[in-house]
Each structure stands twice: as structure tokens, then as C-alpha cells.
Amino acid sequence: MQKITVKASQSYDVIIGSGVLGSAAGYIGDVLRSRRTVIVSDDNVFPIYGTKLKETLEKSGFAVSEFVFPHGDQSKSHEVLLNLYGFLAAQNITRSDSIIALGGGVTGDLAGFAAASYLRGIDYVQIPTSLLAQIDSSVGGKTAVDIPAGKNLVGAFKQPKLVLADTDTLSTLPDVFFDDGMGEAVKYGMIWSEELFDLIAEGNIKDHLEEMIVKCVDIKREVVETDEYDKGLRMILNFGHTLGHAIEKTQNFCGLSHGKAVAVGMYLITSAAEKHGIIKDSISGKLRSCLETNKLPWSVDIPAETLFENSINDKKRFSDDINVIICQTIGKADIVKLPISGYKKLITE
Ligand code: GLY
């Protein structure tokens, strides 16, 4: 079991390891002000882990209620958020009470945004049960819901009080979701650590899961501590995401999953940057082989023009320029500001 302390606007621990959930009540009891909490979880995860967590917390003196919503991306919506606000109000949740987000990225984002906004902010704890949430979304305080105009367009920065990542929960994760999380793991290797990249590229990551999660979270810690509010360095976490989001959007969010779209986005931007001489090292071959080894895609049947069009209204765009994240070499990312015309050339020529 390992502990990483994130020193952001609010300091908190991320506890990572096998069996962490069994000690959840102790960890949670140490950081929360009141003994009243609401577990927010979906109908896949709550029956597996929620019932037990609730019992454990109640045995430790917590008054616990649960808000369980239908699983799936479509639940990261203002409708479900409004239902959650209504539930919190009906339960008389006060400013000193809390929310526990138990589940994957959708749950963490939804519950985190409810915690950021309900009564102008209440405490929350993240208990991520998917690989993607354990290595990325549960740490760093980005919370959001989707609106019809786009994904994650309404959100807030709100750091959790604690993150409990029990690696045992990954054993109940279907392979497709595990592979999806690996897309973000490869990203951490590409942007920050050749050592992590090589570990993932070896291909037997399930034997090194805790080590990989700890490395990813530690990278995120350093990035978030440097740039909590996404004004500079944190943008490197979006490596592969601008084209990844464009792929998801072109496929109406019914095609490649997020992590797989990011995998393709990383490869496309890296090979384009190589072709245009923006990077000197030839790294796209190594990236491609690492993606293949980890059952991740690196190409998609969408015209480059379409990808360009669907990527220029990305949140990361500033006026007539766009910030593109490019890895000069494995383990080092740069933020390259390009005029839209230059970006178009990069993607389409
Ligand atoms: N998932 C990207 C970030 O937290 O900034």
C-alpha cells in the first residue's frame, strides 16, 4: 500500500493498494468533519462495493445514504445532477456533511461537481474503481457534467479530501474498460517518464499494476501541484486528447471509448509532428508498438479534414490559436501554440 500526498489548494492523500477498501472507514473518518455522508455510485458498482462500504461506514458511526444512478456516460448529465441535488436536499445534507464518489470517471466527475456546487461546496472523497479513474480522473480536482453542446462544458475545480484507490477493484473491471484506462497510462509515460513507458511497453502490466498506478498518480501530483488550474503545465495531460475528442465526437460518442480515442490521438499527432519535422526523434514506431502490445488502436477510418474540423472547437483552443501537445521524445511533452492554419496543415497535409 502506498500513500501520495497532493499539495494543491487543499492537501490530501491518495492511498493506493490491494485491500484499501477494507480500511476505508478509518481513512474516511480521519478526514471528514461530520459523520453524515452520501455514497454516489452507479447501478453496476454499488451492488459490488457499495453495500459493503455502507455497512463498514455505519459500523464506524457514520449515517450513510446512497444515490445510485444508471451506469454509462449518458448519466454525466444535468438531469442526473439535478436529481442528485434533490436527493442531497431531501437528506438534509449540510455544509459540514460530505459525498463519497464510488465508481469510475463518470461517477467521480458527477459526484465531484455536485460536491463543488451544492451549498457552494461540500467535502467529498473519491473511491475510484476503474483504471482510468485511479490513474487520472480521481486526482487533481477536475469535476464536470456534459451538456448538449459538449462534454465537460460545465464544471469546477474542487479537490477531494481523500482518494482511496483499491487495486483489487480492477479485477472486476471488464477487459474493455481496463484497456481503455491503459490509453491514459501510455499518455503518462509519453509526457513524463520513459521508464513508465518502457514498463507499459513490456506488455505484462497486470503484474505491475500497483507500480504503474503509483507512477501515474505521482506524475499527476507533480503536474497538479505546479498548475492546479490548468493555465500552463497541466495542459500536457491533454496529450492525444484534442484529436481523441474529435474522434469521439465524429463517432457521436458511440465508437471508440475515451482511452482508445486518446491512443489514436497520441499516435496521429506524433506521426504528424514527425512528418512535419517538428520533432527530431523518431518515436512514433515505438509508440505504435506499445499501443498494439496493450490492445490499443492507433488509427481510425476518419478523414483528416473531418478530424481537423471536429477538433478546433476543443476547450483547449484560445482565440485563433490552438495549444497542441507534442512529445519531442518519449517522456517529455511540450505545449506548442499554433495558428489554426498551421494546425490544419499539421493534421491534414
Ligand atoms: N485529466 C486531465 C486533467 O486532470 O487535467
Side-chain angles (χ1 to χ4, degrees):
M1 209 165 294
Q2 306 219 35
K3 178 173 93 174
I4 293 172
T5 304
V6 182
K7 296 194 184 89
S9 50
Q10 168 174 287
S11 279
Y12 55 97
D13 292 336
V14 183
I15 313 287
I16 301 160
S18 159
V20 170
L21 259 181
S23 314
Y27 287 120
I28 292 172
D30 285 347
V31 296
L32 293 182
R33 287 175 286 170
S34 98
R35 290 288 173 270
R36 185 155 173 64
T37 193
V38 172
I39 299 175
V40 177
S41 193
D42 72 29
D43 56 1
N44 270 345
V45 173
F46 190 81
I48 311 177
Y49 303 112
T51 318
K52 181 84 200 306
L53 175 66
K54 184 176 178 185
E55 250 174 60
T56 318
L57 286 165
E58 284 173 344
K59 271 193 199 135
S60 302
F62 276 86
V64 188
S65 40
E66 72 269 19
F67 178 84
V68 180
F69 62 88
H71 65 275
D73 282 2
Q74 71 288 346
S75 282
K76 216 174 101 171
S77 64
H78 53 280
E79 287 91 356
V80 178
L81 180 69
L82 276 183
N83 289 341
L84 175 51
Y85 288 146
F87 183 82
L88 297 172
Q91 297 290 314
N92 295 317
I93 292 301
T94 69
R95 272 201 183 144
S96 54
D97 301 328
S98 61
I99 286 176
I100 296 175
L102 173 71
V106 168
T107 303
D109 280 11
L110 171 75
F113 185 60
S117 48
Y118 186 71
L119 300 179
R120 299 196 181 85
I122 62 174
D123 290 342
Y124 78 114
V125 168
Q126 288 271 19
I127 306 188
T129 58
S130 73
L131 181 60
L132 191 140
Q134 292 193 355
I135 62 171
D136 189 55
S137 59
S138 67
V139 179
K142 275 193 183 174
T143 71
V145 293
D146 303 333
I147 58 171
K151 281 173 79 79
N152 294 326
L153 288 188
V154 178
F157 288 97
K158 167 86 176 168
Q159 301 296 337
K161 294 291 282 184
L162 173 72
V163 181
L164 297 177
D166 187 334
T167 51
D168 294 345
T169 62
L170 303 180
S171 63
T172 55
L173 198 63
D175 281 351
V176 283
F177 292 112
F178 186 88
D179 299 343
D180 186 54
M182 286 307 295
E184 294 282 356
V186 173
K187 175 196 82 179
Y188 279 103
M190 285 294 292
I191 62 167
W192 202 269
S193 164
E194 188 169 14
E195 189 196 342
L196 171 61
F197 180 90
D198 288 343
L199 179 77
I200 295 168
E202 270 172 27
N204 52 346
I205 203 62
K206 289 206 169 158
D207 296 340
H208 303 277
L209 257 191
E210 185 172 322
E211 184 186 352
M212 180 189 81
I213 294 167
V214 168
K215 282 183 195 296
C216 291
V217 170
D218 202 42
I219 295 168
K220 183 132 194 198
R221 173 199 63 72
E222 206 169 331
V223 172
V224 168
E225 285 180 355
T226 309
D227 175 29
E228 180 172 350
Y229 297 108
D230 212 5
K231 304 271 188 234
L233 180 72
R234 188 165 179 166
M235 291 182 207
I236 66 170
L237 298 178
N238 290 318
F239 177 54
H241 281 60
T242 301
L243 287 173
H245 285 153
I247 293 168
E248 289 182 88
K249 189 172 169 189
T250 310
Q251 298 177 330
N252 286 322
F253 301 95
C254 301
L256 287 181
S257 61
H258 176 73
K260 288 179 180 168
V262 166
V264 178
M266 290 190 290
Y267 181 76
L268 292 182
I269 197 71
T270 303
S271 49
E274 255 175 37
K275 188 172 154 197
H276 287 255
I278 297 176
I279 58 179
K280 286 158 209 74
D281 280 8
S282 173
I283 56 172
S284 62
K286 244 180 134 179
L287 172 59
R288 178 169 154 177
S289 134
C290 176
L291 295 173
E292 282 173 345
T293 304
N294 287 282
K295 296 187 271 169
L296 289 163
W298 50 269
S299 72
V300 72
D301 197 11
I302 300 173
E305 282 284 344
T306 310
L307 285 182
F308 164 73
E309 289 299 334
N310 281 341
S311 62
I312 50 171
N313 57 1
D314 189 273
K315 288 201 294 307
K316 285 91 206 171
R317 181 180 159 188
F318 296 98
S319 65
D320 290 334
D321 297 324
I322 187 164
N323 283 318
V324 184
I325 313 304
I326 292 178
C327 291
Q328 288 291 341
T329 184
I330 291 173
K332 166 103 185 61
D334 289 325
I335 304 163
V336 180
K337 187 182 267 217
L338 291 177
I340 292 296
S341 56
Y343 174 66
K344 182 173 186 186
K345 221 169 153 192
L346 178 65
I347 301 304
T348 59
E349 290 181 10

